[in-house]
Amino acid sequence: GDLDAALEWDEIALALARQNNWPGSVATALLQTGNALRLLHRYQDAREKLVESLAVQSKIPGSRTYAHTLSYLGDLALDLGAPDDALGFFQSAAEKIIEHNEPVFLSDCWRGQAIALCRMGHAEEAHQKIKDALKVAQEHHNLDEQIKCYRVLAELSKKTQCTKPEEVTAPTLGLHYLLKAYELCQTIKDFTVPADLLDDIANSYADLDDFKNAFIYSKISAKTKESRR
């Protein structure tokens, strides 16, 4: 979660790659630097780095790095509130990554498509995509991707009436998925639970007038934010 340090090391790698004129390494360093900038909300700088990464790879559009760059551009488009553009990037990334046999990254692309479709109002298509993404993540025991999928399911449940799984005990389906994500976070050693996930849980309880639980998760969120600082 130390994004400033991540960016610092990415820039060191990028400078070294440029110095030695290694196209593959330059493309990867641009990709990673662009993603760090996006996470720091420096969107214009992030776009410049990601677009430059694609340009460096113009002669190798079938590479896995090219597919990852498209996916990161999809993430950026979602952050900028452009789900139509995001959907196109994620679809292109998924088409290219199939050749490289990376099922977990394919799950990531489908999850991105699901978010875009959800925000475009295509709830049924979004639900099918996220179900497929979660299935792949579970089959490959990728907890991080499962956590992200559950959070998308929580967002989607607010937009459409989904069938409740039999094991749901939470007051709402959205809260059920958020708590599933939180439970998985706790199974990963030394993993810092995302503060925005805790805020979402707190807000969900507040919406239900369950202020006791809302206060509990707000306190955990505040502690997480303080520990990061």
Side-chain angles (χ1 to χ4, degrees):
D2 190 346
L3 297 176
D4 291 314
L7 179 59
E8 180 182 350
W9 284 101
D10 283 331
E11 289 176 335
I12 291 171
L14 179 56
L16 185 60
R18 289 193 194 280
Q19 178 185 330
N20 290 278
N21 195 28
W22 299 329
S25 296
V26 169
T28 301
L30 284 166
L31 164 69
Q32 299 294 354
T33 303
N35 192 51
L37 288 165
R38 178 185 70 83
L39 293 171
L40 285 163
H41 307 297
R42 292 171 54 183
Y43 298 130
Q44 185 57 43
D45 292 335
R47 181 173 179 77
E48 288 175 6
K49 292 292 187 291
L50 293 172
V51 170
E52 185 183 350
S53 180
L54 282 186
V56 170
Q57 301 173 76
S58 60
K59 294 182 180 179
I60 47 169
S63 71
R64 59 188 298 278
T65 305
Y66 194 95
H68 281 265
T69 308
L70 289 170
S71 176
Y72 280 8
L73 280 165
D75 288 329
L76 178 61
L78 287 177
D79 288 342
L80 292 173
D84 299 60
D85 292 340
L87 181 62
F89 283 126
F90 285 122
Q91 287 175 333
S92 297
E95 290 169 4
K96 289 182 178 296
I97 207 62
I98 287 175
E99 303 171 11
H100 297 277
N101 191 28
E102 287 192 36
V104 173
F105 180 60
L106 185 60
S107 170
D108 181 275
C109 293
W110 287 344
R111 175 172 52 80
Q113 290 178 44
I115 297 171
L117 287 165
C118 175
R119 294 178 185 176
M120 291 167 64
H122 304 308
E124 289 187 14
E125 292 177 66
H127 194 255
Q128 186 57 55
K129 279 293 179 186
I130 199 61
K131 280 175 59 181
D132 292 342
L134 178 59
K135 181 180 178 182
V136 171
Q138 290 172 331
E139 288 172 349
H140 290 82
H141 310 290
N142 189 297
L143 296 180
D144 183 57
E145 185 61 26
Q146 289 179 54
I147 290 165
K148 293 175 181 177
C149 285
Y150 281 126
R151 296 192 67 181
V152 176
L153 281 165
E155 179 181 342
L156 186 57
S157 69
K158 297 177 182 179
K159 305 286 181 71
T160 184
Q161 292 294 325
C162 303
T163 304
K164 281 191 176 184
E166 292 180 4
E167 72 276 11
V168 171
T169 56
T172 66
L173 187 56
L175 185 54
H176 164 75
Y177 288 128
L178 291 173
L179 291 173
K180 287 276 286 184
Y182 180 55
E183 288 169 11
L184 282 180
C185 288
Q186 293 178 300
T187 66
I188 304 175
K189 185 179 179 181
D190 298 327
F191 182 79
T192 301
V193 180
D196 59 342
L197 169 59
L198 294 163
D199 287 337
D200 286 345
I201 295 173
N203 291 334
S204 295
Y205 275 119
D207 290 341
L208 295 166
D209 295 333
D210 185 346
F211 299 112
K212 179 181 178 180
N213 275 315
F215 180 63
I216 289 171
Y217 283 97
S218 293
K219 284 179 66 178
I220 300 172
S221 175
K223 187 176 179 180
T224 299
K225 293 170 185 173
E226 183 60 33
S227 68
R228 279 199 164 186
R229 282 195 290 273

